[in-house]
Amino acid sequence: METIILSKQKVKPSKPTPPHLKNHKLCFLDQVQPPVRIKTILFYENTTPAQNQNNLKNALSETLTLFYPLAGELKEGSTFVDCNDTGVVYVEAQAKTCLSYFLENPDLSQLKKLMIDVECHFVSFQVTRFECGGMAIGASMFHLVSDANTMSAFLNTWANIARERIMPLASLDFTSSSLLFPPQNHLPQDLIFLKTLFFKEGDQFLQRRFVFDSKAIAAIKLKGGSSSTVPKPTRVEALTALIWKHMMLASKAVKGSSSPSCMLNHAVNLRPRLHPPLPNASGNVVWFATTFYESEITSDNIDLSHLVGLVREVFETFSNGENLKELEGDASFTYLVNLATDTINSFGKVDNYMFTSWCRFGLDEVDFGWGKPIWVAPLLDPTCSLGHVQIVILVESGRSSDGIEAWILRNKEEILELENDEEFLQYASPNPSICIP
């Protein structure tokens, strides 16, 4: 797919950031994020000509006034963002093909042509028009200042302003996270090491997309809920358990043996679990919870319902009162440092599987006035200077499907095993076409 860059410019907030908001304090959870970017591309069919680029840019400028830290800069070694209204990068591009043609046989390696990265800015966007009138909006945000929840909040706010020309009523919260998780002037060595722990060097990694439709998800939930432990697993619990099982089998097939223990790290959105909940908190309000599978790894021996129970334990780590008490004020730092130390001590002795879910974050709801996206494509970042992070991202597919997609970045040999796993493929469709409704 050929794309041509038509313009590249900065978009700044529509109003100057007031003096009392010029210094945005990071939280401890921001500080421990690895130097990577969260990326996603939203695809739309036949966008209305009236919704022109100027309207998008003007709405983006107004959105940056609300999300003022994302238009700022971080001074090296500082725990504050300088909210100096430096702006974000905005690129307009043209794809020399039709959207329907690209979506008929999606080539994941071509998605990078729909995304611009500018290292000196927190945020960048690329708006690419297709010859048929379709559009792709690629968003890239530095993880230091944004998790996937914050990215979705930003995109939905931008879309609402572009569509309705009114500012959102929901209040944004840029202070609670730093009050609850105060920043640290000096991070312990374990936490500095944790920022790079999950990255692997080399080029033998593959990105793959598997789609689970509603029928497959219902079957997995039924099978995974056969135990009385978790009789009604959620979609994310059931899918995580299934993918984890077959990734463990793939790893064993490649290595010829399995580690004595397999570690699951799953990102947990803390916002709804805190007391009181912080639904509008921006930045990073997320942490990885961990569990282990320590039995023999064979297809017959790994019971899906047992894995579902382990996954449920992962989410309950930050859902009970005792653990949540540890996440208050300065105590949060000690508690999370201890969790990080335990993870590091276990890491070299076990096989690790990292998951995150973007489901119910609202990325599939971002409507600029052309309807909801027909496809939401998270773009894994294999180009980080640290190497590759092996991860599974779960996300709703978009308006074209009622299913959930699993985007997997893993070493080549294990991916190839997974692609030939007949039991796994009973539920998962490898990179199917995206149907325009």
Side-chain angles (χ1 to χ4, degrees):
M1 176 177 62
E2 181 185 359
T3 56
I4 300 173
I5 300 298
L6 302 177
S7 67
K8 180 180 178 182
Q9 58 190 290
K10 278 188 181 181
V11 175
K12 298 186 177 185
S14 58
K15 298 178 182 177
T17 299
H20 70 284
L21 298 178
K22 283 291 186 180
N23 290 318
H24 167 67
K25 185 185 293 186
L26 296 173
C27 75
F28 162 62
L29 298 179
D30 295 322
Q31 290 179 285
V32 299
Q33 297 304 318
V36 298
R37 291 178 175 270
I38 302 175
K39 304 177 183 181
T40 192
I41 305 172
L42 309 179
F43 290 84
Y44 299 89
E45 60 168 332
N46 298 325
T47 55
T48 306
Q51 288 283 355
N52 55 36
Q53 295 281 15
N54 284 333
N55 183 38
L56 281 179
K57 284 185 285 188
N58 291 337
L60 176 59
S61 181
E62 293 179 36
T63 306
L64 289 171
T65 299
L66 300 174
F67 288 81
Y68 55 92
L70 299 184
E73 295 178 301
L74 181 70
K75 304 304 180 183
E76 187 173 354
S78 174
T79 59
F80 289 86
V81 171
D82 180 6
C83 302
N84 57 7
D85 301 330
T86 189
V88 302
V89 174
Y90 185 88
V91 170
E92 299 172 2
Q94 178 70 47
K96 308 296 285 184
T97 188
C98 288
L99 179 60
S100 58
Y101 179 79
F102 176 72
L103 297 182
E104 183 179 354
N105 185 25
D107 184 348
L108 304 188
S109 67
Q110 297 295 302
L111 291 175
K112 60 186 178 183
K113 296 181 180 179
L114 304 174
M115 182 76 68
I116 189 73
D117 270 335
V118 182
E119 293 300 325
C120 59
H121 288 78
F122 284 151
V123 180
S124 58
F125 298 102
Q126 179 171 320
V127 177
T128 305
R129 291 192 178 275
F130 290 81
E131 292 179 342
C132 58
M135 179 181 286
I137 297 181
S140 173
M141 294 190 176
F142 196 37
H143 211 331
L144 179 77
V145 292
S146 173
D147 58 14
N149 186 284
T150 297
M151 171 181 273
S152 180
F154 184 98
L155 291 172
N156 273 288
T157 301
W158 179 17
N160 289 343
I161 293 174
R163 185 181 71 249
E164 304 290 348
R165 302 306 306 163
I166 57 174
M167 303 296 269
L169 297 177
S171 59
L172 300 172
D173 181 357
F174 292 101
T175 58
S176 292
S177 59
S178 61
L179 293 174
L180 191 58
F181 308 106
Q184 304 296 313
N185 292 324
H186 302 285
L187 291 178
Q189 190 61 38
D190 276 356
L191 285 176
I192 296 174
F193 181 58
L194 186 67
K195 294 171 71 170
T196 62
L197 181 66
F198 297 100
F199 290 87
K200 304 291 183 183
E201 295 182 354
D203 58 0
Q204 295 300 307
F205 293 84
L206 294 176
Q207 173 181 271
R208 289 294 186 267
R209 164 183 172 255
F210 296 95
V211 178
F212 300 85
D213 62 23
S214 58
K215 184 178 179 180
I217 294 172
I220 298 166
K221 289 176 64 177
L222 182 63
K223 187 174 182 180
S226 59
S227 167
S228 59
T229 306
V230 187
K232 294 183 178 180
T234 66
R235 299 179 303 166
V236 169
E237 289 171 342
L239 284 177
T240 298
L242 179 84
I243 297 168
W244 185 24
K245 171 183 176 177
H246 289 277
M247 290 178 70
M248 287 191 289
L249 291 170
S251 179
K252 181 181 179 181
V254 169
K255 297 176 181 178
S257 62
S258 58
S259 297
S261 182
C262 295
M263 179 168 64
L264 173 76
N265 286 283
H266 207 303
V268 178
N269 179 20
L270 301 178
R271 292 172 178 85
R273 294 171 167 83
L274 297 167
H275 296 296
L278 299 175
N280 299 317
S282 293
N284 289 281
V285 192
V286 64
W287 192 254
F288 279 91
T290 301
T291 189
F292 295 87
Y293 178 79
E294 298 177 317
S295 301
E296 183 182 1
I297 296 178
T298 66
S299 183
D300 294 333
N301 193 59
I302 302 179
D303 179 57
L304 187 64
S305 62
H306 174 61
L307 293 184
V308 167
L310 294 177
V311 174
R312 173 65 61 88
E313 290 178 9
V314 163
F315 293 112
E316 288 183 344
T317 300
F318 294 112
S319 297
N320 66 69
E322 290 303 314
N323 283 339
L324 287 170
K325 287 180 182 178
E326 301 285 355
L327 293 176
E328 296 178 358
D330 291 330
S332 66
F333 177 70
T334 302
Y335 177 65
L336 295 178
V337 167
N338 290 337
L339 286 179
T341 301
D342 290 343
T343 299
I344 291 170
N345 290 339
S346 301
F347 191 81
K349 307 170 187 176
V350 302
D351 287 335
N352 178 67
Y353 303 88
M354 183 184 293
F355 285 74
T356 185
S357 171
W358 295 1
C359 295
R360 300 194 185 281
F361 281 180
L363 288 168
D364 59 330
E365 301 285 331
V366 179
D367 181 1
F368 287 90
W370 323 304
K372 298 174 183 179
I374 57 175
W375 189 33
V376 178
L379 187 61
L380 301 176
D381 192 351
T383 59
C384 173
S385 60
L386 293 174
H388 303 265
V389 60
Q390 301 189 96
I391 193 169
V392 179
I393 299 177
L394 302 177
V395 63
E396 285 108 345
S397 188
R399 186 161 55 92
S400 65
S401 168
D402 55 1
I404 292 178
E405 302 196 357
W407 288 67
I408 304 176
L409 183 65
R410 194 80 185 174
N411 72 66
K412 180 178 180 179
E413 292 81 4
E414 293 181 25
I415 285 290
L416 294 178
E417 283 288 334
L418 193 63
E419 288 182 316
N420 290 284
D421 184 334
E422 293 183 1
E423 182 182 353
F424 181 69
L425 296 179
Q426 290 177 10
Y427 304 101
S429 299
N431 198 31
S433 300
I434 293 91
C435 300
I436 298 179

